mmCIF file with all atom_site columns, all heavy atoms in Angstrom:
data_model
loop_
_atom_site.group_PDB
_atom_site.id
_atom_site.type_symbol
_atom_site.label_atom_id
_atom_site.label_alt_id
_atom_site.label_comp_id
_atom_site.label_asym_id
_atom_site.label_entity_id
_atom_site.label_seq_id
_atom_site.pdbx_PDB_ins_code
_atom_site.Cartn_x
_atom_site.Cartn_y
_atom_site.Cartn_z
_atom_site.occupancy
_atom_site.B_iso_or_equiv
_atom_site.pdbx_formal_charge
_atom_site.auth_seq_id
_atom_site.auth_comp_id
_atom_site.auth_asym_id
_atom_site.auth_atom_id
_atom_site.pdbx_PDB_model_num
ATOM 1   N N   . SER A 1 270 ? 0.809  -8.707  29.878 1.00 97.00 ? 270 SER A N   1
ATOM 2   C CA  . SER A 1 270 ? 1.117  -9.352  31.154 1.00 97.00 ? 270 SER A CA  1
ATOM 3   C C   . SER A 1 270 ? 2.515  -9.926  31.069 1.00 97.00 ? 270 SER A C   1
ATOM 4   O O   . SER A 1 270 ? 2.836  -10.616 30.088 1.00 97.00 ? 270 SER A O   1
ATOM 5   C CB  . SER A 1 270 ? 0.106  -10.470 31.448 1.00 97.00 ? 270 SER A CB  1
ATOM 6   O OG  . SER A 1 270 ? 0.496  -11.220 32.582 1.00 97.00 ? 270 SER A OG  1
ATOM 7   N N   . CYS A 1 271 ? 3.344  -9.649  32.103 1.00 97.00 ? 271 CYS A N   1
ATOM 8   C CA  . CYS A 1 271 ? 4.695  -10.215 32.120 1.00 97.00 ? 271 CYS A CA  1
ATOM 9   C C   . CYS A 1 271 ? 5.218  -10.264 33.560 1.00 97.00 ? 271 CYS A C   1
ATOM 10  O O   . CYS A 1 271 ? 6.115  -9.509  33.938 1.00 97.00 ? 271 CYS A O   1
ATOM 11  C CB  . CYS A 1 271 ? 5.632  -9.395  31.236 1.00 97.00 ? 271 CYS A CB  1
ATOM 12  S SG  . CYS A 1 271 ? 7.165  -10.281 30.808 1.00 97.00 ? 271 CYS A SG  1
ATOM 13  N N   . PRO A 1 272 ? 4.645  -11.160 34.371 1.00 97.00 ? 272 PRO A N   1
ATOM 14  C CA  . PRO A 1 272 ? 5.026  -11.196 35.788 1.00 97.00 ? 272 PRO A CA  1
ATOM 15  C C   . PRO A 1 272 ? 6.428  -11.741 36.055 1.00 97.00 ? 272 PRO A C   1
ATOM 16  O O   . PRO A 1 272 ? 7.039  -11.381 37.067 1.00 97.00 ? 272 PRO A O   1
ATOM 17  C CB  . PRO A 1 272 ? 3.957  -12.101 36.408 1.00 97.00 ? 272 PRO A CB  1
ATOM 18  C CG  . PRO A 1 272 ? 3.477  -12.956 35.281 1.00 97.00 ? 272 PRO A CG  1
ATOM 19  C CD  . PRO A 1 272 ? 3.557  -12.098 34.059 1.00 97.00 ? 272 PRO A CD  1
ATOM 20  N N   . ASN A 1 273 ? 6.930  -12.592 35.167 1.00 96.00 ? 273 ASN A N   1
ATOM 21  C CA  . ASN A 1 273 ? 8.235  -13.224 35.404 1.00 96.00 ? 273 ASN A CA  1
ATOM 22  C C   . ASN A 1 273 ? 9.084  -13.222 34.133 1.00 96.00 ? 273 ASN A C   1
ATOM 23  O O   . ASN A 1 273 ? 9.361  -14.275 33.556 1.00 96.00 ? 273 ASN A O   1
ATOM 24  C CB  . ASN A 1 273 ? 8.035  -14.665 35.900 1.00 96.00 ? 273 ASN A CB  1
ATOM 25  C CG  . ASN A 1 273 ? 7.305  -14.735 37.214 1.00 96.00 ? 273 ASN A CG  1
ATOM 26  O OD1 . ASN A 1 273 ? 7.795  -14.248 38.227 1.00 96.00 ? 273 ASN A OD1 1
ATOM 27  N ND2 . ASN A 1 273 ? 6.114  -15.332 37.190 1.00 96.00 ? 273 ASN A ND2 1
ATOM 28  N N   . PRO A 1 274 ? 9.532  -12.053 33.685 1.00 96.00 ? 274 PRO A N   1
ATOM 29  C CA  . PRO A 1 274 ? 10.353 -12.014 32.472 1.00 96.00 ? 274 PRO A CA  1
ATOM 30  C C   . PRO A 1 274 ? 11.680 -12.740 32.662 1.00 96.00 ? 274 PRO A C   1
ATOM 31  O O   . PRO A 1 274 ? 12.287 -12.666 33.736 1.00 96.00 ? 274 PRO A O   1
ATOM 32  C CB  . PRO A 1 274 ? 10.568 -10.516 32.246 1.00 96.00 ? 274 PRO A CB  1
ATOM 33  C CG  . PRO A 1 274 ? 10.361 -9.887  33.577 1.00 96.00 ? 274 PRO A CG  1
ATOM 34  C CD  . PRO A 1 274 ? 9.333  -10.723 34.276 1.00 96.00 ? 274 PRO A CD  1
ATOM 35  N N   . ARG A 1 275 ? 12.077 -13.453 31.639 1.00 96.00 ? 275 ARG A N   1
ATOM 36  C CA  . ARG A 1 275 ? 13.334 -14.207 31.710 1.00 96.00 ? 275 ARG A CA  1
ATOM 37  C C   . ARG A 1 275 ? 14.545 -13.284 31.693 1.00 96.00 ? 275 ARG A C   1
ATOM 38  O O   . ARG A 1 275 ? 15.579 -13.580 32.291 1.00 96.00 ? 275 ARG A O   1
ATOM 39  C CB  . ARG A 1 275 ? 13.405 -15.190 30.532 1.00 96.00 ? 275 ARG A CB  1
ATOM 40  C CG  . ARG A 1 275 ? 14.602 -16.132 30.574 1.00 96.00 ? 275 ARG A CG  1
ATOM 41  C CD  . ARG A 1 275 ? 14.527 -17.154 29.450 1.00 96.00 ? 275 ARG A CD  1
ATOM 42  N NE  . ARG A 1 275 ? 13.307 -17.954 29.548 1.00 96.00 ? 275 ARG A NE  1
ATOM 43  C CZ  . ARG A 1 275 ? 12.522 -18.249 28.512 1.00 96.00 ? 275 ARG A CZ  1
ATOM 44  N NH1 . ARG A 1 275 ? 12.796 -17.780 27.319 1.00 96.00 ? 275 ARG A NH1 1
ATOM 45  N NH2 . ARG A 1 275 ? 11.454 -18.985 28.687 1.00 96.00 ? 275 ARG A NH2 1
ATOM 46  N N   . TYR A 1 276 ? 14.421 -12.166 30.984 1.00 96.00 ? 276 TYR A N   1
ATOM 47  C CA  . TYR A 1 276 ? 15.515 -11.213 30.874 1.00 96.00 ? 276 TYR A CA  1
ATOM 48  C C   . TYR A 1 276 ? 15.047 -9.832  31.327 1.00 96.00 ? 276 TYR A C   1
ATOM 49  O O   . TYR A 1 276 ? 13.864 -9.507  31.259 1.00 96.00 ? 276 TYR A O   1
ATOM 50  C CB  . TYR A 1 276 ? 16.017 -11.126 29.426 1.00 96.00 ? 276 TYR A CB  1
ATOM 51  C CG  . TYR A 1 276 ? 16.385 -12.464 28.827 1.00 96.00 ? 276 TYR A CG  1
ATOM 52  C CD1 . TYR A 1 276 ? 15.517 -13.125 27.956 1.00 96.00 ? 276 TYR A CD1 1
ATOM 53  C CD2 . TYR A 1 276 ? 17.594 -13.074 29.132 1.00 96.00 ? 276 TYR A CD2 1
ATOM 54  C CE1 . TYR A 1 276 ? 15.841 -14.352 27.408 1.00 96.00 ? 276 TYR A CE1 1
ATOM 55  C CE2 . TYR A 1 276 ? 17.939 -14.306 28.582 1.00 96.00 ? 276 TYR A CE2 1
ATOM 56  C CZ  . TYR A 1 276 ? 17.067 -14.943 27.726 1.00 96.00 ? 276 TYR A CZ  1
ATOM 57  O OH  . TYR A 1 276 ? 17.387 -16.169 27.195 1.00 96.00 ? 276 TYR A OH  1
ATOM 58  N N   . GLN A 1 277 ? 15.998 -9.027  31.765 1.00 96.00 ? 277 GLN A N   1
ATOM 59  C CA  . GLN A 1 277 ? 15.703 -7.647  32.100 1.00 96.00 ? 277 GLN A CA  1
ATOM 60  C C   . GLN A 1 277 ? 15.314 -6.892  30.838 1.00 96.00 ? 277 GLN A C   1
ATOM 61  O O   . GLN A 1 277 ? 15.959 -7.033  29.794 1.00 96.00 ? 277 GLN A O   1
ATOM 62  C CB  . GLN A 1 277 ? 16.937 -7.004  32.726 1.00 96.00 ? 277 GLN A CB  1
ATOM 63  C CG  . GLN A 1 277 ? 16.820 -5.522  33.013 1.00 96.00 ? 277 GLN A CG  1
ATOM 64  C CD  . GLN A 1 277 ? 15.953 -5.227  34.217 1.00 96.00 ? 277 GLN A CD  1
ATOM 65  O OE1 . GLN A 1 277 ? 14.737 -5.221  34.125 1.00 96.00 ? 277 GLN A OE1 1
ATOM 66  N NE2 . GLN A 1 277 ? 16.600 -4.964  35.353 1.00 96.00 ? 277 GLN A NE2 1
ATOM 67  N N   . PHE A 1 278 ? 14.252 -6.086  30.900 1.00 98.00 ? 278 PHE A N   1
ATOM 68  C CA  . PHE A 1 278 ? 13.878 -5.269  29.758 1.00 98.00 ? 278 PHE A CA  1
ATOM 69  C C   . PHE A 1 278 ? 14.871 -4.106  29.613 1.00 98.00 ? 278 PHE A C   1
ATOM 70  O O   . PHE A 1 278 ? 15.458 -3.657  30.611 1.00 98.00 ? 278 PHE A O   1
ATOM 71  C CB  . PHE A 1 278 ? 12.460 -4.722  29.937 1.00 98.00 ? 278 PHE A CB  1
ATOM 72  C CG  . PHE A 1 278 ? 11.375 -5.652  29.486 1.00 98.00 ? 278 PHE A CG  1
ATOM 73  C CD1 . PHE A 1 278 ? 11.172 -6.879  30.120 1.00 98.00 ? 278 PHE A CD1 1
ATOM 74  C CD2 . PHE A 1 278 ? 10.545 -5.313  28.423 1.00 98.00 ? 278 PHE A CD2 1
ATOM 75  C CE1 . PHE A 1 278 ? 10.166 -7.737  29.709 1.00 98.00 ? 278 PHE A CE1 1
ATOM 76  C CE2 . PHE A 1 278 ? 9.532  -6.167  27.998 1.00 98.00 ? 278 PHE A CE2 1
ATOM 77  C CZ  . PHE A 1 278 ? 9.346  -7.392  28.649 1.00 98.00 ? 278 PHE A CZ  1
ATOM 78  N N   . PRO A 1 279 ? 15.066 -3.600  28.394 1.00 98.00 ? 279 PRO A N   1
ATOM 79  C CA  . PRO A 1 279 ? 15.956 -2.457  28.195 1.00 98.00 ? 279 PRO A CA  1
ATOM 80  C C   . PRO A 1 279 ? 15.495 -1.232  28.988 1.00 98.00 ? 279 PRO A C   1
ATOM 81  O O   . PRO A 1 279 ? 14.291 -1.034  29.208 1.00 98.00 ? 279 PRO A O   1
ATOM 82  C CB  . PRO A 1 279 ? 15.880 -2.201  26.685 1.00 98.00 ? 279 PRO A CB  1
ATOM 83  C CG  . PRO A 1 279 ? 15.436 -3.499  26.098 1.00 98.00 ? 279 PRO A CG  1
ATOM 84  C CD  . PRO A 1 279 ? 14.525 -4.110  27.118 1.00 98.00 ? 279 PRO A CD  1
ATOM 85  N N   . ALA A 1 280 ? 16.447 -0.398  29.366 1.00 98.00 ? 280 ALA A N   1
ATOM 86  C CA  . ALA A 1 280 ? 16.142 0.740   30.241 1.00 98.00 ? 280 ALA A CA  1
ATOM 87  C C   . ALA A 1 280 ? 15.133 1.691   29.636 1.00 98.00 ? 280 ALA A C   1
ATOM 88  O O   . ALA A 1 280 ? 14.278 2.240   30.346 1.00 98.00 ? 280 ALA A O   1
ATOM 89  C CB  . ALA A 1 280 ? 17.437 1.479   30.590 1.00 98.00 ? 280 ALA A CB  1
ATOM 90  N N   . ASP A 1 281 ? 15.190 1.903   28.312 1.00 97.00 ? 281 ASP A N   1
ATOM 91  C CA  . ASP A 1 281 ? 14.330 2.931   27.722 1.00 97.00 ? 281 ASP A CA  1
ATOM 92  C C   . ASP A 1 281 ? 12.918 2.452   27.398 1.00 97.00 ? 281 ASP A C   1
ATOM 93  O O   . ASP A 1 281 ? 12.144 3.169   26.778 1.00 97.00 ? 281 ASP A O   1
ATOM 94  C CB  . ASP A 1 281 ? 14.994 3.586   26.504 1.00 97.00 ? 281 ASP A CB  1
ATOM 95  C CG  . ASP A 1 281 ? 15.297 2.622   25.365 1.00 97.00 ? 281 ASP A CG  1
ATOM 96  O OD1 . ASP A 1 281 ? 14.910 1.441   25.450 1.00 97.00 ? 281 ASP A OD1 1
ATOM 97  O OD2 . ASP A 1 281 ? 15.947 3.051   24.387 1.00 97.00 ? 281 ASP A OD2 1
ATOM 98  N N   . VAL A 1 282 ? 12.575 1.227   27.819 1.00 98.00 ? 282 VAL A N   1
ATOM 99  C CA  . VAL A 1 282 ? 11.172 0.794   27.696 1.00 98.00 ? 282 VAL A CA  1
ATOM 100 C C   . VAL A 1 282 ? 10.586 0.374   29.042 1.00 98.00 ? 282 VAL A C   1
ATOM 101 O O   . VAL A 1 282 ? 9.410  -0.025  29.108 1.00 98.00 ? 282 VAL A O   1
ATOM 102 C CB  . VAL A 1 282 ? 11.008 -0.366  26.675 1.00 98.00 ? 282 VAL A CB  1
ATOM 103 C CG1 . VAL A 1 282 ? 11.423 0.076   25.288 1.00 98.00 ? 282 VAL A CG1 1
ATOM 104 C CG2 . VAL A 1 282 ? 11.767 -1.608  27.117 1.00 98.00 ? 282 VAL A CG2 1
ATOM 105 N N   . ARG A 1 283 ? 11.359 0.471   30.117 1.00 98.00 ? 283 ARG A N   1
ATOM 106 C CA  . ARG A 1 283 ? 10.885 -0.042  31.409 1.00 98.00 ? 283 ARG A CA  1
ATOM 107 C C   . ARG A 1 283 ? 9.728  0.760   31.977 1.00 98.00 ? 283 ARG A C   1
ATOM 108 O O   . ARG A 1 283 ? 8.973  0.255   32.820 1.00 98.00 ? 283 ARG A O   1
ATOM 109 C CB  . ARG A 1 283 ? 12.035 -0.077  32.415 1.00 98.00 ? 283 ARG A CB  1
ATOM 110 C CG  . ARG A 1 283 ? 13.025 -1.184  32.143 1.00 98.00 ? 283 ARG A CG  1
ATOM 111 C CD  . ARG A 1 283 ? 14.178 -1.174  33.120 1.00 98.00 ? 283 ARG A CD  1
ATOM 112 N NE  . ARG A 1 283 ? 15.336 -1.837  32.540 1.00 98.00 ? 283 ARG A NE  1
ATOM 113 C CZ  . ARG A 1 283 ? 16.584 -1.678  32.946 1.00 98.00 ? 283 ARG A CZ  1
ATOM 114 N NH1 . ARG A 1 283 ? 16.840 -0.854  33.971 1.00 98.00 ? 283 ARG A NH1 1
ATOM 115 N NH2 . ARG A 1 283 ? 17.559 -2.319  32.363 1.00 98.00 ? 283 ARG A NH2 1
ATOM 116 N N   . SER A 1 284 ? 9.556  1.981   31.512 1.00 98.00 ? 284 SER A N   1
ATOM 117 C CA  . SER A 1 284 ? 8.430  2.784   32.011 1.00 98.00 ? 284 SER A CA  1
ATOM 118 C C   . SER A 1 284 ? 7.126  2.452   31.294 1.00 98.00 ? 284 SER A C   1
ATOM 119 O O   . SER A 1 284 ? 6.052  2.887   31.715 1.00 98.00 ? 284 SER A O   1
ATOM 120 C CB  . SER A 1 284 ? 8.729  4.275   31.842 1.00 98.00 ? 284 SER A CB  1
ATOM 121 O OG  . SER A 1 284 ? 8.838  4.610   30.459 1.00 98.00 ? 284 SER A OG  1
ATOM 122 N N   . ILE A 1 285 ? 7.193  1.664   30.243 1.00 98.00 ? 285 ILE A N   1
ATOM 123 C CA  . ILE A 1 285 ? 5.992  1.305   29.492 1.00 98.00 ? 285 ILE A CA  1
ATOM 124 C C   . ILE A 1 285 ? 5.262  0.197   30.247 1.00 98.00 ? 285 ILE A C   1
ATOM 125 O O   . ILE A 1 285 ? 5.843  -0.855  30.546 1.00 98.00 ? 285 ILE A O   1
ATOM 126 C CB  . ILE A 1 285 ? 6.340  0.838   28.069 1.00 98.00 ? 285 ILE A CB  1
ATOM 127 C CG1 . ILE A 1 285 ? 7.089  1.937   27.303 1.00 98.00 ? 285 ILE A CG1 1
ATOM 128 C CG2 . ILE A 1 285 ? 5.081  0.432   27.311 1.00 98.00 ? 285 ILE A CG2 1
ATOM 129 C CD1 . ILE A 1 285 ? 7.581  1.505   25.937 1.00 98.00 ? 285 ILE A CD1 1
ATOM 130 N N   . PRO A 1 286 ? 3.988  0.378   30.566 1.00 98.00 ? 286 PRO A N   1
ATOM 131 C CA  . PRO A 1 286 ? 3.274  -0.644  31.336 1.00 98.00 ? 286 PRO A CA  1
ATOM 132 C C   . PRO A 1 286 ? 2.945  -1.881  30.507 1.00 98.00 ? 286 PRO A C   1
ATOM 133 O O   . PRO A 1 286 ? 2.893  -1.833  29.271 1.00 98.00 ? 286 PRO A O   1
ATOM 134 C CB  . PRO A 1 286 ? 1.987  0.077   31.760 1.00 98.00 ? 286 PRO A CB  1
ATOM 135 C CG  . PRO A 1 286 ? 1.775  1.119   30.717 1.00 98.00 ? 286 PRO A CG  1
ATOM 136 C CD  . PRO A 1 286 ? 3.151  1.573   30.304 1.00 98.00 ? 286 PRO A CD  1
ATOM 137 N N   . PHE A 1 287 ? 2.773  -2.991  31.188 1.00 98.00 ? 287 PHE A N   1
ATOM 138 C CA  . PHE A 1 287 ? 2.310  -4.220  30.548 1.00 98.00 ? 287 PHE A CA  1
ATOM 139 C C   . PHE A 1 287 ? 0.786  -4.183  30.536 1.00 98.00 ? 287 PHE A C   1
ATOM 140 O O   . PHE A 1 287 ? 0.110  -4.657  31.458 1.00 98.00 ? 287 PHE A O   1
ATOM 141 C CB  . PHE A 1 287 ? 2.822  -5.438  31.299 1.00 98.00 ? 287 PHE A CB  1
ATOM 142 C CG  . PHE A 1 287 ? 4.319  -5.538  31.369 1.00 98.00 ? 287 PHE A CG  1
ATOM 143 C CD1 . PHE A 1 287 ? 4.943  -5.963  32.522 1.00 98.00 ? 287 PHE A CD1 1
ATOM 144 C CD2 . PHE A 1 287 ? 5.105  -5.202  30.284 1.00 98.00 ? 287 PHE A CD2 1
ATOM 145 C CE1 . PHE A 1 287 ? 6.327  -6.062  32.594 1.00 98.00 ? 287 PHE A CE1 1
ATOM 146 C CE2 . PHE A 1 287 ? 6.497  -5.295  30.334 1.00 98.00 ? 287 PHE A CE2 1
ATOM 147 C CZ  . PHE A 1 287 ? 7.108  -5.721  31.500 1.00 98.00 ? 287 PHE A CZ  1
ATOM 148 N N   . SER A 1 288 ? 0.238  -3.577  29.495 1.00 98.00 ? 288 SER A N   1
ATOM 149 C CA  . SER A 1 288 ? -1.201 -3.336  29.421 1.00 98.00 ? 288 SER A CA  1
ATOM 150 C C   . SER A 1 288 ? -1.559 -2.973  27.988 1.00 98.00 ? 288 SER A C   1
ATOM 151 O O   . SER A 1 288 ? -0.673 -2.822  27.130 1.00 98.00 ? 288 SER A O   1
ATOM 152 C CB  . SER A 1 288 ? -1.595 -2.185  30.344 1.00 98.00 ? 288 SER A CB  1
ATOM 153 O OG  . SER A 1 288 ? -1.002 -0.966  29.904 1.00 98.00 ? 288 SER A OG  1
ATOM 154 N N   . GLU A 1 289 ? -2.847 -2.803  27.730 1.00 98.00 ? 289 GLU A N   1
ATOM 155 C CA  . GLU A 1 289 ? -3.270 -2.337  26.414 1.00 98.00 ? 289 GLU A CA  1
ATOM 156 C C   . GLU A 1 289 ? -2.693 -0.962  26.125 1.00 98.00 ? 289 GLU A C   1
ATOM 157 O O   . GLU A 1 289 ? -2.206 -0.700  25.015 1.00 98.00 ? 289 GLU A O   1
ATOM 158 C CB  . GLU A 1 289 ? -4.796 -2.302  26.343 1.00 98.00 ? 289 GLU A CB  1
ATOM 159 C CG  . GLU A 1 289 ? -5.441 -3.671  26.428 1.00 98.00 ? 289 GLU A CG  1
ATOM 160 C CD  . GLU A 1 289 ? -6.957 -3.620  26.326 1.00 98.00 ? 289 GLU A CD  1
ATOM 161 O OE1 . GLU A 1 289 ? -7.475 -2.656  25.728 1.00 98.00 ? 289 GLU A OE1 1
ATOM 162 O OE2 . GLU A 1 289 ? -7.617 -4.533  26.849 1.00 98.00 ? 289 GLU A OE2 1
ATOM 163 N N   . ALA A 1 290 ? -2.730 -0.080  27.107 1.00 98.00 ? 290 ALA A N   1
ATOM 164 C CA  . ALA A 1 290 ? -2.138 1.248   26.921 1.00 98.00 ? 290 ALA A CA  1
ATOM 165 C C   . ALA A 1 290 ? -0.647 1.140   26.658 1.00 98.00 ? 290 ALA A C   1
ATOM 166 O O   . ALA A 1 290 ? -0.080 1.901   25.861 1.00 98.00 ? 290 ALA A O   1
ATOM 167 C CB  . ALA A 1 290 ? -2.401 2.119   28.141 1.00 98.00 ? 290 ALA A CB  1
ATOM 168 N N   . GLY A 1 291 ? -0.005 0.164   27.311 1.00 98.00 ? 291 GLY A N   1
ATOM 169 C CA  . GLY A 1 291 ? 1.415  -0.050  27.089 1.00 98.00 ? 291 GLY A CA  1
ATOM 170 C C   . GLY A 1 291 ? 1.702  -0.521  25.676 1.00 98.00 ? 291 GLY A C   1
ATOM 171 O O   . GLY A 1 291 ? 2.706  -0.124  25.066 1.00 98.00 ? 291 GLY A O   1
ATOM 172 N N   . GLN A 1 292 ? 0.829  -1.360  25.136 1.00 98.00 ? 292 GLN A N   1
ATOM 173 C CA  . GLN A 1 292 ? 1.008  -1.779  23.740 1.00 98.00 ? 292 GLN A CA  1
ATOM 174 C C   . GLN A 1 292 ? 0.968  -0.580  22.800 1.00 98.00 ? 292 GLN A C   1
ATOM 175 O O   . GLN A 1 292 ? 1.769  -0.478  21.864 1.00 98.00 ? 292 GLN A O   1
ATOM 176 C CB  . GLN A 1 292 ? -0.072 -2.789  23.346 1.00 98.00 ? 292 GLN A CB  1
ATOM 177 C CG  . GLN A 1 292 ? 0.116  -4.148  23.974 1.00 98.00 ? 292 GLN A CG  1
ATOM 178 C CD  . GLN A 1 292 ? -0.919 -5.162  23.505 1.00 98.00 ? 292 GLN A CD  1
ATOM 179 O OE1 . GLN A 1 292 ? -2.080 -4.822  23.258 1.00 98.00 ? 292 GLN A OE1 1
ATOM 180 N NE2 . GLN A 1 292 ? -0.509 -6.418  23.395 1.00 98.00 ? 292 GLN A NE2 1
ATOM 181 N N   . VAL A 1 293 ? 0.052  0.332   23.049 1.00 98.00 ? 293 VAL A N   1
ATOM 182 C CA  . VAL A 1 293 ? -0.043 1.539   22.225 1.00 98.00 ? 293 VAL A CA  1
ATOM 183 C C   . VAL A 1 293 ? 1.233  2.371   22.354 1.00 98.00 ? 293 VAL A C   1
ATOM 184 O O   . VAL A 1 293 ? 1.810  2.817   21.354 1.00 98.00 ? 293 VAL A O   1
ATOM 185 C CB  . VAL A 1 293 ? -1.267 2.377   22.622 1.00 98.00 ? 293 VAL A CB  1
ATOM 186 C CG1 . VAL A 1 293 ? -1.265 3.713   21.883 1.00 98.00 ? 293 VAL A CG1 1
ATOM 187 C CG2 . VAL A 1 293 ? -2.556 1.622   22.332 1.00 98.00 ? 293 VAL A CG2 1
#
Side-chain angles (χ1 to χ4, degrees):
S270 172
C271 197
N273 298 297
R275 186 175 300 135
Y276 307 101
Q277 175 75 279
F278 275 64
D281 61 5
V282 298
R283 287 178 203 160
S284 64
I285 301 175
F287 300 140
S288 65
E289 294 181 25
Q292 288 183 325
V293 173

